[in-house]
Amino acid sequence: MGSIVLFGPPGAGKGTQAQRIMEHSGLPQVSTGDMLRAAVKAGSKVGVEAKRYMDEGALVPDSVILALIKERMLEPDASGGVMFDGFPRTIPQAESLSELAEISHVLAIDVPDERIVERICGRVACGNCGAVYHDSFNPVPSSGCTCGKYDEKRRADDNETTVRKRLEAYHQQTAPLAAWYTARGLFHSVDGDRDIPAITADLLALLE
Ligand code: AP5
């Protein structure tokens, strides 16, 4: 198996499923969103530039994203393939990726827009271990986060106004990748409007 792309609108559950698939495939998760948030937190030049776009719900320029990915793919754990989460998001990103890694599967999580807003506006994460929960659909266990040190964090861009802009960017710039990857025989889609384990089961079946 080569590298995998997890594809879908914001809040579809890419990060949630990446964590679960990682336990089976062993492929490391490469999330451009997480990399950008780390750069923003560190106050680096990339972070300062990216923050303007992220706060607006717009895509960060391809040149910035591709520089991050090229550097990440040089790390030793990427040599056996990775699981991309939130990348590629434009046709130029996909074209560059085809020169950097062999993609064996593009797995799309299909969720209607009206579900996205409720998923994103209820998202909460543990700042200590990064586990992602939802106020209603996937609550923090009553015994606390599995890491034992729950530190509640909410993302600055997880509000209804920004979510609607992120969805617009998705439909205009990212959704066309479905046809691009279908033409290359790599695209598979699962119904993401179901509970989390049912989606994981379908994704794992596609990888077998
Ligand atoms: P990024 O961090 O990638 O955000 P996103 O694509 O908007 O996706 P999310 O992380 O919000 O959602 P997810 O699909 O991982 O869902 P999750 O599993 O958390 O990007 C942020 C920004 O960075 C972008 O707007 C852009 O500016 C920039 N950026 C990043 N990559 C870029 C790129 N390649 N090019 C240009 N710009 C880039 O789940 C969401 C919630 O739903 C959680 O609370 C979860 O518990 C819950 N949930 C999950 N599954 C289910 C289910 N089946 N049923 C009910 N609830 C569920």
Side-chain angles (χ1 to χ4, degrees):
M1 186 164 55
S3 291
I4 301 169
V5 171
L6 281 178
F7 183 84
K14 302 181 294 294
T16 300
Q17 296 298 336
Q19 289 293 321
R20 297 168 66 91
I21 294 172
M22 207 160 60
E23 288 167 21
H24 295 265
S25 70
L27 295 178
Q29 175 188 8
V30 172
S31 156
T32 39
D34 286 349
M35 291 159 83
L36 290 169
R37 279 184 288 280
V40 170
K41 197 171 171 191
S44 67
K45 197 173 156 221
V46 164
V48 171
E49 185 182 358
K51 189 174 185 308
R52 289 192 288 134
Y53 297 93
M54 295 168 83
D55 286 349
E56 287 294 310
L59 293 187
V60 173
D62 290 339
S63 56
V64 174
I65 298 293
L66 289 167
L68 282 177
I69 286 288
K70 281 180 187 160
E71 205 179 311
R72 178 66 182 86
M73 293 307 283
L74 293 176
E75 287 178 30
D77 70 338
S79 62
V82 305
M83 186 164 28
F84 293 105
D85 162 6
F87 173 84
R89 264 167 144 109
T90 63
I91 303 267
Q93 288 182 19
E95 285 169 344
S96 295
L97 175 59
S98 62
E99 289 161 20
L100 285 172
E102 189 203 331
I103 303 299
S104 62
H105 298 77
V106 176
L107 303 176
I109 306 173
D110 192 17
V111 181
D113 285 7
E114 61 271 20
R115 283 268 181 276
I116 295 297
V117 177
E118 58 185 7
R119 281 197 190 177
I120 286 191
C121 293
R123 173 166 49 193
V124 66
C126 173
N128 182 49
C129 69
V132 175
Y133 299 100
H134 189 280
D135 290 331
S136 319
F137 306 140
N138 183 23
V140 182
S142 51
S143 53
C145 185
T146 43
C147 73
K149 289 184 186 167
Y150 184 56
D151 171 24
E152 182 175 300
K153 292 271 183 266
R154 289 182 196 259
R155 274 169 49 178
D157 60 345
D158 280 355
N159 59 75
E160 189 166 345
T161 310
T162 312
V163 171
R164 296 214 180 268
K165 289 186 188 158
R166 282 155 66 190
L167 271 171
E168 210 175 295
Y170 171 77
H171 288 298
Q172 284 178 3
Q173 294 167 273
T174 307
L177 281 173
W180 198 87
Y181 277 120
T182 299
R184 287 155 182 78
L186 298 172
F187 192 79
H188 310 269
S189 178
V190 302
D191 176 4
D193 194 7
R194 293 176 298 154
D195 65 20
I196 293 171
I199 299 165
T200 311
D202 279 6
L203 293 172
L204 289 175
L206 285 168
L207 292 176
E208 268 168 16

